[in-house]
Amino acid sequence: NEVTRTHPEFVARYYIYERDALRISAPEMDEVSHTYEQFCADLLNPAAVDCFLALTHERYFRWFGAEFGGTIPRIFTDEPSFGYLTRAANRLPYYDEIAADFRARYGAEIEPGLRAYFRGEPCDAFCTQYWAMIAARFRETYFARIGAWCRAHRLQMTGHCMSDSAIANGIHLSGNVMENLDCMDVPGIDEIDTHFCAGDDLLFAQLQNVRAHGATHAMAELFALGPVSMAYARMRQMIWYAAAHGVDHYFMAIAHLDGRGNWIKDNFFHDFAPESPDFVGAAVLGAS
């Protein structure tokens, strides 16, 4: 992660509760570099997000800016989250102004609520307040910021949130998913498992919601988790299912990754490699 490698001050921090002590912590840099926790740029810090923009989007603009709004119509953001480091039960997201923001927003100190939460004491009101504040902060520092940059550079913002198919996980990893999607020009969802179930109806309902809020387009990422034997008829059925919920842009992540190990076969990583036995049939999807 270039943001944290070049700017260690932008490593995400978190509250941690151990041995009846509440403190603020961050991963060590070797941990950042060599584990899953490398995804730990502080997306609750506007300066860290600006650093990310400078290292990525600004470079794209210098190299390819003449193609923005034409050959390059939009930029995709994939599963940004403030929660990569706070999946453990004894951790919660932190940012520098959090205590002052909580005091200004709710007229109370944040620490008693944090201690009650970590001790397992009743604190429903605090949890509602805390996660609402984190959600608002994340929306403003990341989604609104990235979206504004894209529109200022003749691009549309598209992508989807982390854990957008599960309400509880979504709150703890992405904040308010529907409000985040409202910041996008082509809001999207992730349905790479390719299921037909009530949970998917809830997932696609997010796109119906943003369409109702005025979004003119909607996107779905499909198929990447297989199964490896998925028939083209099933793929077309899934495209139609998504279209019924307002989807008109598709990211066909047809990687066929599943538990049978096909993901290690590099040549068959997706259908659009000529070596793949499915390659000749991929054009069928174009008629969908």
Side-chain angles (χ1 to χ4, degrees):
N1 187 310
E2 193 172 355
V3 171
T4 54
R5 187 174 64 252
T6 57
H7 292 274
E9 69 273 22
F10 292 150
V11 171
R13 288 163 294 163
Y14 49 85
Y15 286 114
I16 187 167
Y17 191 75
E18 295 176 315
R19 301 182 183 89
D20 202 32
L22 178 68
R23 59 186 175 87
I24 299 161
S25 186
E28 298 294 331
M29 286 308 295
D30 58 346
E31 183 182 10
V32 170
S33 301
H34 299 101
T35 74
Y36 187 65
E37 293 191 348
Q38 64 181 306
F39 298 101
C40 66
D42 186 1
L43 301 188
L44 296 175
N45 181 345
V49 176
D50 286 343
C51 178
F52 166 70
L53 284 168
L55 292 171
T56 55
H57 294 49
E58 292 287 354
R59 289 178 179 176
Y60 306 153
F61 182 68
R62 290 198 300 272
W63 298 333
F64 311 114
E67 304 300 327
F68 280 18
T71 305
I72 304 173
R74 59 191 64 89
I75 288 184
F76 191 100
T77 186
D78 191 44
E79 300 186 354
S81 176
F82 53 76
Y84 281 108
L85 297 179
T86 54
R87 296 170 184 261
N90 67 334
R91 295 182 181 185
L92 283 176
Y94 167 87
Y95 62 90
D96 280 343
E97 301 88 359
I98 192 168
D101 285 355
F102 193 88
R103 189 181 307 116
R105 186 166 179 150
Y106 302 116
E109 298 301 320
I110 195 171
E111 187 169 325
L114 290 169
R115 291 185 177 278
Y117 171 86
F118 285 125
R119 291 169 177 166
E121 299 168 0
C123 58
D124 289 351
F126 168 77
C127 289
T128 299
Q129 294 170 341
Y130 172 85
W131 288 113
M133 190 177 71
I134 292 292
R137 175 80 175 195
F138 187 44
R139 180 183 186 273
E140 291 306 311
T141 58
Y142 186 83
F143 287 95
R145 211 173 195 85
I146 300 291
W149 188 96
C150 288
R151 286 183 283 279
H153 293 79
R154 307 186 307 280
L155 290 175
Q156 294 179 323
M157 182 186 182
T158 188
H160 73 89
C161 297
M162 180 72 169
S163 198
D164 51 1
S165 60
I167 294 175
N169 285 344
I171 291 170
H172 295 158
L173 295 171
S174 296
N176 190 316
V177 171
M178 290 191 182
E179 288 192 355
N180 295 341
L181 293 180
D182 279 339
C183 295
M184 296 186 185
D185 304 287
V186 184
I189 53 93
D190 181 1
E191 211 301 287
I192 57 177
D193 291 321
T194 316
H195 293 159
F196 290 93
C197 62
D200 277 351
D201 286 338
L202 174 62
L203 180 63
F204 280 101
Q206 296 172 17
L207 298 184
Q208 292 180 316
N209 177 72
V210 293
R211 280 298 191 97
H213 287 183
T216 56
H217 301 288
M219 179 278 296
E221 184 180 358
L222 301 174
F223 305 139
L225 292 185
V228 294
S229 57
M230 190 189 309
Y232 277 98
R234 177 68 176 275
M235 295 180 192
R236 292 183 72 179
Q237 182 184 34
M238 194 67 197
I239 291 172
W240 294 336
Y241 175 51
H245 288 276
V247 173
D248 60 355
H249 285 62
Y250 301 89
F251 284 81
M252 316 302 277
I254 310 176
H256 288 346
L257 313 183
D258 73 1
R260 284 170 274 184
N262 203 48
W263 65 275
I264 66 174
K265 300 178 183 178
D266 292 341
N267 284 343
F268 297 167
F269 189 71
H270 56 75
D271 287 341
F272 305 112
E275 300 90 345
S276 169
D278 284 344
F279 181 73
V280 294
V284 173
L285 293 178
S288 297

